[in-house]
Amino acid sequence: MAALAVLLTALTSTGAGTPAEAAPGRMARATGGPDGWGYRFTDSQENGGPVFSQEWEDISTTGTSIFGVGSDDSASSVSFPSGFQFRFYGNNYSSMWVITNGNIQFGSSANATYVNNTLLASGQGEMLAPYWDDLYVGSNSSVRWQRFDAGGANDRVIIQWTLIDFCCSSGNGQFTFQVKIYGGTGSDGKIMYNYNAMNGQSGAGATIGIQSVARSTYLTYGYAGSPNTVANSRSVRFANNSPPNPPTNLVQSADSGGLPLALGSWSDTTIYCRGTVTDPDAGNTVGLEIEILPNASPFSSNITGQTASTPGATMVASGGTPEVLYTFTGSPYGSGDYHWRARSRDNAGATSAWVIFDASGINFSVDMTPPSAPYGPFYPDAIQTIGTSPFPAVDFSWGGATDVGPPAPLSYKFEISLTNTFVSPLFQSPTPTNSISAAIPASDVDYYWRVAAVDSAGNQGPWAGPIAFQVGFVEQVPKEPDRFSYCGAEAPASPWGLVAMTGALTLLAATLLRRRSAA
């Protein structure tokens, strides 16, 4: 068996794209092309080929039905949703013809003949043939379509033949397969053929491939079972562009475009990843796709973790630095230690090899639990008048807060407003300590202040407050060091230290003059 696996013979194209058959007793390779337009195929038997478990997306119950039970040798025109175009052999299409007999055609008309031929098949036009044969929509069958990731990096339409029959039985030889086509206008879109439960159907009587009559070229995956056959859980990818290069200069950050986040640092519920991407195909745009796993879980050839991709609208030209965001929601990933890897993905859906960000240890840790609200004592802690003399500043202070996250000091976010809703704060500032000073004009209206704790991961806890206070005028000189009288009443001890008598008298004179002028 091992010797048989090694005896794979290369699949080449002859003439206008007819693949050479495998030598007797040998398996054909699961790659082929290019055809005259540059299309190649790779299937899931190949190292680096598509992975069926990642490609199969069942729409047997969610998709829009195209044909009713009993449909045979039928064609139905399906218009793509707004914003979606499929580029195939250099032409952009806004609609498709779906054929009951296991193929899709593009253009103003379609041919629904059940007699499948070798490619290039006359009368079929521009065609995708995932399983062109004499098929029939039986009592348990359906043919449906559905769009996913509208406007995103993986904007795609799926067409699925579910429990399809051979004509004209109902219940015999049922099998399920689908086509995925990726949108875009810059380069030809990627095409995926996915074969789910084939019930023993290998394509021995079918035509499988792509063709363009207008371009006089085609690419055959299999005809009458040669050179390639299909099986359960098989995927075949057709694309005419070269894959992008693996990303370089990978960076992780807690904020979009922010400073690099050092290895092992803590983040809140978001992580941003970016890197430099290049693509050999002129005109392509490129983004990043990342996979995140708990640090204790190693990466494998398959994707087993959570993924995120650069949105299609923010992909960049070759040589640029795209960014991708992943948000932790607690389902399935919450607080903990993580590592990540990235690969380049171009606008045609081709991907590079994976690059692990850093294999030496924890890449970053996530803390999803914010600290508590700050506790007292608060100063000022009620509606009270705070004098502005001798300096035009008011001191605020509060107790600490508790946090179950990383063992690092808390910082605080502080705000002052004229309303208790803080719609338009007059003053706001972070502070690393449990106190802050702010210059506030004297007034007989109420001010409000509040404070919240922020942990080292960036999580902000609930606000303490609002707490009301007023800033009034000093009308008497100090009776004793560090004590003031406000409107004839003794004031609390000043939080600003001793006040020189000369300074106090000067301030008092200026205050009285101002109040008399106002009167």
Side-chain angles (χ1 to χ4, degrees), residues 155-504:
D155 197 349
R156 60 200 181 277
V157 165
I158 299 177
I159 307 93
Q160 181 170 315
W161 288 256
T162 302
L163 298 177
I164 204 73
D165 284 332
F166 288 108
C167 187
C168 288
S169 61
S170 184
N172 297 320
Q174 297 174 335
F175 51 103
T176 299
F177 61 93
Q178 68 178 204
V179 176
K180 293 169 68 173
I181 55 177
Y182 287 77
T185 57
S187 58
D188 286 7
K190 184 179 70 172
I191 304 158
M192 294 295 310
Y193 293 170
N194 297 317
Y195 302 91
N196 186 12
M198 297 304 292
N199 195 25
Q201 304 303 319
S202 64
T207 303
I208 301 172
I210 62 175
Q211 74 169 30
S212 170
V213 172
R215 304 292 183 185
S216 300
T217 190
Y218 60 95
L219 185 59
T220 301
Y221 179 80
Y223 173 68
S226 176
N228 291 290
T229 62
V230 295
N232 292 353
S233 304
R234 175 76 54 82
S235 291
V236 185
R237 178 179 62 223
F238 292 83
N240 79 330
N241 68 314
S242 301
N245 299 312
T248 58
N249 304 320
L250 293 178
V251 172
Q252 61 182 15
S253 177
D255 303 293
S256 179
L259 295 174
L261 188 67
L263 285 176
S265 296
W266 289 82
S267 178
D268 58 7
T269 57
T270 59
I271 188 73
Y272 292 84
C273 305
R274 58 184 184 267
T276 303
V277 292
T278 56
D279 192 293
D281 295 306
N284 274 2
T285 55
V286 196
L288 281 182
E289 181 180 16
I290 63 170
E291 180 188 11
I292 295 177
L293 275 172
N295 201 67
S297 301
F299 294 108
S300 66
S301 57
N302 296 336
I303 295 176
T304 58
Q306 293 291 294
T307 62
S309 298
T310 304
T314 58
M315 284 185 169
V316 300
S318 180
T321 306
E323 188 174 63
V324 57
L325 161 68
Y326 181 80
T327 301
F328 291 82
T329 63
S331 178
Y333 290 167
S335 299
D337 302 328
Y338 295 93
H339 60 162
W340 61 281
R341 63 178 180 174
R343 62 182 179 182
S344 304
R345 177 185 288 276
D346 66 24
N347 58 298
T351 56
S352 72
W354 287 103
V355 176
I356 295 177
F357 172 63
D358 192 297
S360 63
I362 296 170
N363 292 175
F364 64 92
S365 299
V366 173
D367 174 19
M368 295 182 64
T369 305
S372 69
Y375 45 81
F378 298 101
Y379 183 82
D381 63 351
I383 297 179
Q384 54 187 286
T385 302
I386 308 298
T388 59
S389 178
F391 307 112
V394 176
D395 284 355
F396 299 83
S397 63
W398 54 90
T402 58
D403 185 50
V404 297
L410 298 174
S411 61
Y412 296 89
K413 183 176 181 180
F414 176 85
E415 292 184 346
I416 299 174
S417 176
L418 281 171
T419 66
N420 58 11
T421 59
F422 291 84
V423 175
S424 300
L426 297 175
F427 177 86
Q428 52 187 177
S429 177
T431 174
T433 65
N434 295 48
S435 63
I436 194 170
S437 294
I440 309 170
S443 173
D444 57 0
V445 300
D446 289 346
Y447 290 100
Y448 299 88
W449 71 279
R450 65 180 182 177
V451 63
V454 181
D455 65 22
S456 61
N459 297 300
Q460 179 180 315
W463 292 100
I467 301 172
F469 69 99
Q470 290 183 352
V471 179
F473 297 104
V474 178
E475 297 200 3
Q476 294 186 13
V477 298
K479 296 190 299 180
E480 58 184 87
D482 217 24
R483 306 287 287 181
F484 285 86
S485 176
Y486 292 77
C487 300
E490 186 178 276
S494 169
W496 307 294
L498 295 176
V499 180
M501 181 63 71
T502 302

Side-chain angles (χ1 to χ4, degrees), residues 77-163:
S77 179
V78 175
S79 295
F80 294 137
S82 176
F84 185 91
Q85 281 192 325
F86 174 58
R87 189 172 177 87
F88 185 51
Y89 282 106
N91 294 317
N92 294 322
Y93 294 101
S94 57
S95 64
M96 62 183 170
W97 292 93
V98 180
I99 316 299
T100 54
N101 290 319
N103 65 78
I104 298 167
Q105 297 169 33
F106 302 93
S108 58
S109 61
N111 186 338
T113 181
Y114 67 89
V115 179
N116 61 293
N117 298 307
T118 59
L119 304 177
L120 194 72
S122 62
Q124 307 303 117
E126 315 299 279
M127 180 173 67
L128 308 176
Y131 207 96
W132 181 19
D133 208 334
D134 189 10
L135 306 182
Y136 173 76
V137 183
S139 58
N140 296 321
S141 308
S142 68
V143 183
R144 298 174 180 267
W145 75 277
Q146 187 171 347
R147 183 189 189 185
F148 290 91
D149 194 29
N154 296 306
D155 197 349
R156 60 200 181 277
V157 165
I158 299 177
I159 307 93
Q160 181 170 315
W161 288 256
T162 302
L163 298 177

Side-chain angles (χ1 to χ4, degrees), residues 500-516:
M501 181 63 71
T502 302
L505 290 174
T506 301
L507 178 64
L508 177 60
T511 302
L512 292 174
L513 178 61
R514 179 176 56 187
R515 289 179 63 85
R516 291 193 183 106

